[in-house]
Amino acid sequence: MSPVMVLGVWMITFGIGEEAGWRGWLYAFLIKTCGRLQAAAWVAGVWMLWHLPAFAFNENYREMGWGVIGWAISLLYGSVLLGWLFHRSGTIIPLVIWHGVFDLITASDHLPDAVPMLISGVVIVQGIYLARQQARH
C-alpha cells in the first residue's frame, strides 16, 4: 500500500476516530470546568487507558519495556500540544491530519528506530513549551 493510502487509513481510523472523542468531545467538555492543562492531563490519562488493550496484541507496545514511561510522557505532552492546536483552530481537522501523520511516521516499519523517538521528543519539547506558556496565563 502506498504511503498516501496508509496516511489516509491512519487519518480516518486514528485521526478521526480518536480526535473526535479526545479533543472534539472530552477535552471540549472538560475545558468548561477546568483549565487547559488540567483538561489535557485528564484526556492524556484516558488516552493512555484507551491504548492499554494494544499491549496484549501489539508487538511494538509489548517490546517497549521501560520505554512505556517515555510513551506516557509523550502522550501527556502530545495532549497539551493537541489541546493548543484545537484552541487555535477551533476544529479537529488539523488534529486529524497531525495525528495521522504522527502515527504514520512513528509506526512505520520503513524508518530507522530513532525516528519515532526523535519525533516523540519534539512533541514533548513542544508540549513542555506550551504547558509553560499556558501556566503563565
Side-chain angles (χ1 to χ4, degrees):
M1 188 180 293
S2 77
V4 172
M5 294 205 41
V6 172
L7 176 59
V9 170
W10 281 107
M11 287 189 333
I12 290 168
T13 57
F14 294 99
I16 293 174
E18 289 190 30
E19 292 309 324
W22 302 149
R23 258 57 60 174
W25 181 79
L26 183 58
Y27 182 82
F29 173 78
L30 290 170
I31 202 70
K32 295 174 187 174
T33 59
C34 60
R36 290 183 188 183
L37 291 178
Q38 285 179 314
W42 279 106
V43 169
V46 173
W47 201 7
M48 288 175 208
L49 292 173
W50 171 263
H51 285 90
L52 279 181
F55 285 90
F57 64 85
N58 186 311
E59 186 176 325
N60 292 335
Y61 280 80
R62 288 195 310 261
E63 290 178 353
M64 268 196 266
W66 287 102
V68 74
I69 295 168
W71 171 80
I73 292 168
S74 180
L75 281 183
L76 173 62
Y77 286 110
S79 187
V80 171
L81 172 61
L82 289 167
W84 173 85
L85 187 56
F86 179 72
H87 277 282
R88 298 288 293 191
S89 67
T91 178
I92 66 165
I93 293 169
L95 285 71
V96 167
I97 295 166
W98 186 97
H99 199 140
V101 170
F102 177 84
D103 284 353
L104 177 69
I105 292 170
T106 59
S108 175
D109 293 335
H110 304 291
L111 296 172
D113 290 342
V115 172
M117 290 187 299
L118 176 65
I119 297 298
S120 294
V122 168
V123 169
I124 291 168
V125 169
Q126 289 174 324
I128 290 170
Y129 172 78
L130 292 168
R132 293 185 73 194
Q133 289 241 322
Q134 290 175 23
R136 286 187 209 156
H137 297 330

